[in-house]
Amino acid sequence: MMKQWWQARAPRERVILVLAALAMTAMLYFLLIWEPLQQGNSRLQADRQEAHELNAWLRGIEPELAKLRSVQGNQRQAGKGSVLAVADSRAKSGGLGSALKRMQPDGDNSVRAWLENAPFNTLLAWLHQLEKQDGIQAVDLNISRDDESGQVKARLTLSR
């Protein structure tokens, strides 16, 4: 059927149809393959340049970061002492003195603590302060809701 249709065309029409098919093929290649590849390449080049600029900026602030790390290390050194003493004093100064029911050493650099009727937000602030200022982290934490709203019971192990 297609062959008969093609044979029925004049030679001049056949040439025009072949040229139109070639033009359509070239246009489709450009629109569907070449242009998306070029856009992707341009986007990758821009991302690469941005990454190089970020890398240069990070290398530029590296000495300042080292200085800040040493200052932070010195602050942690100032907060040194036994984990028990630091955690107890921070709890009392942080408003958890009445909630702190018991603290027990658990090795050289670890302590177990039991709190009751502790305000949840105050407990989180205390743990954050211990970690950031003294390098003491909660390695085991069990929190349960208390009878009063916003109050919790907590059993935790703190370690440096």
Side-chain angles (χ1 to χ4, degrees), residues 21 23 27 61 85 104 118 120 146 158:
M27 185 175 72
I61 65 166
Q104 170 184 331
F120 181 70
D146 214 341
L158 300 171

Side-chain angles (χ1 to χ4, degrees), residues 10 18 29 34-35 41 43 46 60 67 85 90 102 123 127 135 146 159:
V18 167
Y29 172 79
W34 184 259
E35 184 64 21
N41 188 30
R43 194 170 41 251
K67 189 188 309 179
R90 294 260 187 226
R102 184 171 149 200
L123 174 65
L127 292 172
D146 214 341
S159 183

Side-chain angles (χ1 to χ4, degrees), residues 89-134:
S89 68
R90 294 260 187 226
K92 288 177 182 171
S93 67
L96 289 174
S98 62
L100 188 60
K101 296 302 177 193
R102 184 171 149 200
M103 288 188 90
Q104 170 184 331
D106 187 32
D108 292 339
N109 291 322
S110 188
V111 66
R112 290 184 184 176
W114 289 262
L115 295 100
E116 293 179 10
N117 295 326
F120 181 70
N121 291 336
T122 306
L123 174 65
L124 291 182
W126 175 60
L127 292 172
H128 179 72
Q129 184 181 32
L130 285 172
E131 182 176 350
K132 292 299 178 190
Q133 294 182 358
D134 303 301

